[in-house]
Amino acid sequence: EHGIKIIKIFEGYTSSTCPIDTNHIIEINDRNISCIECNNQYDRDVVGCVNIMKNYTHKAVETMPHLSVIVI
């Protein structure tokens, strides 16, 4: 109706890869995870958000070149 474009993003498995070195991460408990390579520990929701941003922002720009992406 208003010309707004939406990109659907599959969020599955976004908290299973380290956002720093892209290695697999393991669960420490129900909220925290740890990278098997760099040993950094993260909150699983934060990792999911960061990986969605990293993995899908470029797809948005590719499909909508006029789109301005702002990361806060």
Side-chain angles (χ1 to χ4, degrees):
E1 178 179 338
H2 297 284
I4 298 171
K5 297 188 186 254
I6 296 175
I7 297 174
K8 290 185 179 182
I9 296 174
F10 177 67
E11 64 181 80
Y13 308 105
T14 55
S15 61
S16 62
T17 304
C18 179
I20 304 300
D21 59 22
T22 66
N23 285 300
H24 290 292
I25 51 181
I26 57 171
E27 185 174 326
I28 296 174
N29 60 41
D30 64 334
R31 299 301 324 145
N32 298 306
I33 50 182
S34 178
C35 176
I36 59 174
E37 188 67 32
C38 67
N39 294 318
N40 287 325
Q41 294 184 6
Y42 309 100
D43 177 88
R44 75 178 324 119
D45 290 336
V46 173
V47 169
C49 291
V50 169
N51 284 336
I52 286 172
M53 182 190 71
K54 287 174 65 176
N55 294 331
Y56 295 104
T57 301
H58 72 280
K59 289 182 182 177
V61 173
E62 287 175 1
T63 59
M64 297 179 284
H66 62 281
L67 179 69
S68 296
V69 176
I70 300 171
V71 179
I72 300 174

